[in-house]
Amino acid sequence: MTMLLAGEDTTAYTLGWAVHQLCGSPESMMELRREADELLGTSDVAGDIETANKLAWAGAVANETMRLRPVAPIHFLDAKVETVVGDLLVPKGTRVCLLTRPAACDPGHFVDPQTFRPRRWLDENAGAHDVSAYIPFGSGPRICPGRVLALLEMKLLLSMLYKNFNVERVGGAEGVRENFALTMSPVGLKVRLRRRSSALADTGTA
Ligand code: HEM
């Protein structure tokens, strides 16, 4: 049950957020598509793990989405030992609620932090890039055990979706809200999928 609850919505909501972010970033969408066209060839989806491992742009889109739209934005922790965080003493046994987004959106950790820029995960010279300030899957002994699977699923889905479909937003971006109910999902996100081949011939929607 834990695997089901922890693994399904988290991955699906992150994909929803990725679609939302990509609607506002045509350049990122085109890079994602270029990579999928190049690596998937005539297949609709990456057919083996070697191909999936090469989907760097799709992975960067997933990482950048989780930086700006973490589906688990609050982590509940216990201090196992007395700890000092900045100028704050945290005694052993203290319950800690940690907000993860402030550190991931701090300009000291990530350059131009409010901008959706997947390229920052691929370009070593992109400016401030402190991955220790980015913990969408938690950290330490209770780090999410499904993180590798989640990233693989997201890379497969994103490359398949953007290789085969044109994804257009229906309505405005301002209609999309963050709904927090333990996990944070997009509410009000509407898109239209149009098959790329049909889109080229302008013959229909799916
Ligand atoms: C984008 C997708 C996902 C995100 C953002 C995510 C995030 C998280 C976070 C933040 C935690 C708590 C870590 C901590 O306490 O430090 C967690 C725990 C967990 N996750 Fe994930 N997760 C994702 C996908 C998955 C998948 C695909 C599975 C399994 C199929 C999974 C299974 C689990 C389990 C079993 C735990 C509890 C681990 C424990 O308590 O020791 N998660 N996840």
Side-chain angles (χ1 to χ4, degrees):
M1 186 55 81
T2 309
M3 296 292 269
L4 187 66
L5 292 177
E8 292 282 330
D9 289 358
T10 45
T11 313
Y13 293 159
T14 303
L15 285 165
W17 282 122
V19 168
H20 170 65
Q21 296 291 155
L22 287 165
C23 285
S25 181
E27 187 243 346
S28 304
M29 188 281 289
M30 291 306 287
E31 286 292 339
L32 176 63
R33 174 171 286 167
R34 181 199 50 71
E35 176 184 80
D37 283 345
E38 193 180 305
L39 293 174
L40 273 52
T42 53
S43 304
D44 287 341
V45 65
D48 52 56
I49 194 70
E50 287 75 26
T51 308
N53 285 340
K54 290 181 191 153
L55 292 166
W57 250 92
V61 166
N63 277 321
E64 185 67 343
T65 300
M66 291 190 288
R67 189 183 66 79
L68 286 174
R69 306 285 190 175
V71 293
I74 306 180
H75 294 182
F76 301 94
L77 308 169
D78 289 316
K80 293 290 177 205
V81 292
E82 185 175 286
T83 310
V84 175
V85 181
D87 58 358
L88 189 70
L89 176 70
V90 183
K92 179 180 174 183
T94 306
R95 204 95 229 265
V96 176
C97 296
L98 174 72
L99 300 179
T100 61
R101 196 156 32 175
C105 291
D106 183 320
H109 299 146
F110 290 98
V111 68
D112 195 7
Q114 298 300 335
T115 303
F116 179 75
R117 191 191 289 164
R119 192 181 294 281
R120 75 174 79 237
W121 296 94
L122 305 172
D123 181 358
E124 284 174 15
N125 301 314
H129 190 82
D130 182 355
V131 288
S132 68
Y134 167 77
I135 51 166
F137 295 112
S139 65
R142 302 299 291 269
I143 193 170
C144 174
R147 61 196 182 283
V148 177
L149 174 63
L151 271 170
L152 176 63
E153 289 179 317
M154 292 191 285
K155 286 178 4 177
L156 292 177
L157 190 290
L158 287 168
S159 55
M160 181 277 290
L161 186 62
Y162 286 88
K163 177 169 194 293
N164 294 290
F165 295 94
N166 285 332
V167 183
E168 296 163 32
R169 188 190 293 288
V170 177
E174 61 284 353
V176 180
R177 288 187 298 108
E178 295 182 345
N179 180 52
F180 180 70
L182 211 57
T183 50
M184 189 180 84
S185 59
V187 170
L189 173 63
K190 291 186 191 156
V191 291
R192 177 179 294 116
L193 302 189
R194 188 187 291 255
R195 269 206 171 275
R196 261 176 95 194
S197 51
S198 348
L200 291 174
D202 198 28
T203 52
T205 57

